[in-house]
Structures are given as structure tokens and as C-alpha cells.
Amino acid sequence: MNFKTTGLLVALLLIIGAVWYFYPKSAVPEDASPPKPVTAENKNVFEPQPKDDQLVRVELERPGKPKLAFERMDPNQEQRGRENWRLLEPSPSLADGNKLRSLSSILATLQSRSRFEAGTQGQPTAAEAGLEPPLATFSVKDKGGKEYKLEIGKKVPLSSDTYVRVAGEKPIQIATRELASQIDKNVNEYRAQRLLACQPDDVTRVQVQAEGKTYDFSRGADGEWVINAPV
């Protein structure tokens, strides 16, 4: 190696060292944390959200099936141990209070994880989401007469979520629960198992007709039962 070659190598090393020393470092500080992923928070489907204890009417409409309509008999006071809901449509009868409270609370507390405009940016259209027409329309009404109505669509693929849309609004929401089992129930599943809504302690008179005779019993203020007929 001659003197000229050695000089070139030294000069090259000096240039590399100068570039390394003077080149600006990354603008990101060494102790900076990596950006946190953005997570979507669940939001109420209805804003403002209906209050479960204020609901007095529940309706469920499904294409090709009879409309189900329920009404709370005593909206001002819960009666312990009594059926305080009744079925109005398709035929009047007592309703299972526990099932009706559960059904009404579904809509009152329903949340969604996202919402989108139908058919935009690769999102399904309203028809593809089962909302045109809807598979079911679920509505409740509170004591003040305000109605909350929800259109229910198909189940979101590969999840337990459901496409829904507030009636009268354009955005489709993804509700964070499966709703098919609720809208597919038969009316008999909501009927009360008891024939009478009264409690035994409330009964003051009993009348039975059998084989042409009438048997009449009454209870006085002292709680004792008396036979009025046939003797």
C-alpha cells in the first residue's frame, strides 16, 4: 500500500466519522413510549337512554307474525309477587312479569360498539344488514309518553353482535348482544302461568256452580269464611 492509497483511506474514514457525528438524530426522544392503540368505547344505542323502571308499554312487530303488545297494569307501584304486566295483542291475557321486565330492559340498556353509514367504505348496505326491511321492530314507551323504536337486523358475521338502527335515523349501529333469540319467541312464552292475578289473602268471595247448584262462600272482616249457599 503506497502513501497515496493510505491518504485516501484516512480521508474516507474522516468523512464517515464526520457524517455520523454531525447527522441529526431522530426527532423522537429515546424514552418516548410507542403510541397506544385507539379503542372504541361502547355507547348507548339511544341518547338519552330510556329508564327501565319508567317503561309502561312494549311492542314487538315481525313480518309474517302477529304483533305482540304488552302493558304494565300498575306503572306507579311494583306489586311484589304479582304479575303487573298484561298481554294486549294478539289476545288479552296476563303476562309473565319477569320476562317482560327482562325484554324491556334489553332495549333500555342496549349499547353499540360502532356506527356507520350504510354502503360506505365497504360497509354493508341496509338490505345486507337485514334492515330493509327490518327483521323486527322493537319499541317501548315510558310514563311520559315518549316512544323509543328500534329496527333489528341480522347478526354480524363471526360475532354475537347485531345490526340495529334507531327508527327515523340513517346510521346503522352494531349492538353488542345477540337479539335473534328475543325476537323469535312465541307469544305463549310471554304468557303468565297463573290464570288469576289476585293473591289468596285478597279474596273475599268465592262462587262455584256445578251440577245445577251454586256454592257461595264469603269471608268477613274477622277473616272467617261463611257458607252462604246452598245452605
Side-chain angles (χ1 to χ4, degrees), residues 36-199:
K36 297 181 179 180
V38 178
T39 57
E41 294 184 358
N42 293 341
K43 296 183 178 180
N44 297 329
V45 170
F46 285 99
E47 290 292 351
Q49 191 176 29
K51 296 182 179 179
D52 186 26
D53 60 351
Q54 298 294 307
L55 302 180
V56 296
R57 188 177 179 92
V58 176
E59 294 185 0
L60 182 61
E61 297 181 78
R62 301 161 294 179
K65 294 184 178 181
K67 175 183 176 181
L68 302 184
F70 305 90
E71 184 179 58
R72 182 173 284 177
M73 293 186 288
D74 188 0
N76 297 315
Q77 181 180 6
E78 285 292 334
Q79 299 177 343
R80 182 177 298 178
R82 303 187 185 188
E83 306 289 351
N84 67 331
W85 283 87
R86 61 184 173 188
L87 174 67
L88 301 179
E89 298 182 50
S91 58
S93 72
L94 291 176
D96 189 316
N98 291 329
K99 291 183 179 179
L100 260 295
R101 282 188 289 272
S102 176
L103 183 64
S104 62
S105 66
I106 289 175
L107 190 142
T109 61
L110 192 62
Q111 293 190 324
S112 69
R113 59 179 173 85
S114 65
R115 62 179 63 200
F116 59 88
E117 294 292 334
T120 59
Q121 298 180 350
Q123 299 290 355
T125 63
E128 292 170 340
L131 292 167
E132 225 171 64
L135 301 182
T137 302
F138 186 23
S139 63
V140 296
K141 185 179 292 184
D142 63 17
K143 293 179 182 179
K146 182 175 177 57
E147 185 177 41
Y148 302 83
K149 184 176 289 188
L150 185 71
E151 297 172 346
I152 300 175
K154 297 178 180 178
K155 179 182 175 182
V156 179
L158 304 177
S159 76
S160 58
D161 301 336
T162 306
Y163 292 117
V164 299
R165 180 172 59 187
V166 176
E169 297 185 3
K170 290 185 177 181
I172 295 175
Q173 301 189 53
I174 298 181
T176 57
R177 69 170 298 154
E178 182 268 330
L179 297 173
S181 60
Q182 297 297 327
I183 65 176
D184 287 341
K185 286 185 177 179
N186 186 279
V187 61
N188 292 328
E189 297 185 57
Y190 291 107
R191 294 186 190 274
Q193 300 300 313
R194 299 190 302 172
L195 296 179
L196 300 177
C198 61
Q199 294 292 309

